[in-house]
Amino acid sequence: MWTQKLECVGWSPRAIQQFPFCLAPSTLLAYNAILRKLQDFCHSKQAAFPPVDTQIVAQFLCDIADCSSSPRSQLKVALAAMAHMFDNFGFINVCECYHIKMLVEALVKSGTKKPMHRSQVMPIAPFRELFTRWPNNDQLSIKDLRLKTITLMALVLMLRPSDIAPKSVQFDVDGSHSEFVFSLNHVVFMENEAHVTFHGIKNDTTRTGFSVVLQATNDDKLNPVKALKAYIDRTENVRPVNDPVFLTLSPPYRAIAAGTVAAIMNEAIKRAGLEGMGFSAKSFRPTGATAAVDMHCDPDIAMKQGRWKTRSVFFEHYVHSKPPATLATSILEEHQ
């Protein structure tokens, strides 16, 4: 809805087609959904669209907040979408008004009925025990070897499902679109480690990629590098020309989607005996982050490994470390 910017008049078809890619497809969908709601709201109030005063915007934001018991994220999306809209139409962004900002703060404070849900941190021991019981990599089925490889990588590299199944698309000069693929050229095996590059993923807005190191372990059954190498070798004969690392189980073989990766992670949780405890595919990322901090890994290194951009997001949303068991004793009994 917001791509018809006045300054774009006279642009070539390719430039106009390229323009929407400044936002991720999921972000664009979310913004347009909000703007369609705003358009319908303005129509119901017999008001102009885009709204030109704070009265309509204020009521719309109230309606957005009333639909959620944790309105902060919805309001944040609404404000971002409207900022793009006002900019495209060349209008003043009335959301920048002091009173609108104070209203949003009030809506968050008064409208939050429950805290924002945070993915829980899982115990890692059940996964370790699961894979220790399994046969060696060469004796596993392709399905189980894929599950094991993705699970070990998810813990060590703090993966989102979309990291190894990017949702981003790239625009080709002929006007067609193609998906980013996590492919073999993104993995380089070295002695006792593999260098992995994630490209076209969340936070990779400049498309420079994130290069991380997947380290080996002493226990072969828990070694993510050997598991990944074994999986790649055993699927070599069915890999399509775009060389995706992780494949579907049946022909026509192709790169798996983010939804499939999430299903594999959820299956690993089930097999580890953790089903029904509130864990999901989203739990792997905070689990890896928390374990790294608890093991006294330099937070900056952990952030780089997990591809976080800011310390505030890393610590506020992903690191769920508990205080040491002796903290109360140290404060109440030992402190002088």
Side-chain angles (χ1 to χ4, degrees), residues 184 235-244 246-247 252-255:
L184 293 186
T235 54
E236 180 181 3
N237 294 333
V238 297
R239 187 164 283 105
V241 293
N242 58 345
D243 284 338
F246 293 106
L247 307 173
Y253 297 102
R254 59 189 184 278

Side-chain angles (χ1 to χ4, degrees), residues 191-204:
E191 185 177 359
N192 293 323
E193 64 185 31
H195 292 195
V196 180
T197 300
F198 296 109
H199 188 51
I201 64 170
K202 185 176 182 180
N203 290 344
D204 184 24

Side-chain angles (χ1 to χ4, degrees), residues 41-194:
F41 182 82
C42 290
H43 179 74
S44 70
K45 302 295 183 181
Q46 298 182 330
F49 177 82
V52 293
D53 57 52
T54 61
Q55 179 183 356
I56 292 296
V57 171
Q59 185 56 54
F60 178 68
L61 293 174
C62 288
D63 286 6
I64 291 289
D66 291 343
C67 294
S68 174
S69 57
S70 278
R72 180 177 178 273
S73 60
Q74 285 295 316
L75 290 170
K76 182 178 180 181
V77 172
L79 292 172
M82 285 191 284
H84 280 290
M85 175 193 66
F86 286 123
D87 186 52
N88 277 330
F89 281 95
F91 291 179
I92 295 175
N93 183 359
V94 298
C95 295
E96 290 295 318
C97 166
Y98 170 81
H99 293 96
I100 290 293
K101 291 183 177 180
M102 292 299 99
L103 173 64
V104 171
E105 185 172 326
L107 290 172
V108 171
K109 289 180 178 179
S110 62
T112 302
K113 306 297 191 300
K114 59 181 181 180
M116 184 174 63
H117 174 73
R118 297 173 63 180
S119 298
Q120 297 186 53
V121 172
M122 301 180 290
I124 296 178
F127 295 102
R128 182 168 58 246
E129 294 164 3
L130 171 67
F131 297 135
T132 300
R133 292 195 305 267
W134 279 15
N136 294 331
N137 293 332
D138 59 355
Q139 297 175 295
L140 291 174
S141 67
I142 293 296
K143 181 179 180 180
D144 284 349
L145 181 57
R146 185 181 69 175
L147 180 147
K148 175 182 176 179
T149 304
I150 289 176
T151 301
L152 293 175
M153 289 180 64
L155 290 169
V156 174
L157 299 182
M158 309 159 211
L159 295 181
R160 308 177 188 88
S162 59
D163 287 339
I164 54 176
K167 297 180 180 180
S168 299
V169 294
Q170 52 192 352
F171 184 87
D172 299 323
V173 293
D174 61 0
S176 62
H177 304 153
S178 58
E179 296 180 349
F180 279 89
V181 174
F182 178 55
S183 59
L184 293 186
N185 64 2
H186 294 149
V187 181
V188 178
F189 289 99
M190 313 286 283
E191 185 177 359
N192 293 323
E193 64 185 31

Side-chain angles (χ1 to χ4, degrees), residues 26-42:
S26 58
T27 302
L28 190 60
L29 286 172
Y31 285 4
N32 281 338
I34 287 288
L35 295 181
R36 280 190 290 271
K37 288 182 180 179
L38 177 60
Q39 189 175 40
D40 292 342
F41 182 82
C42 290

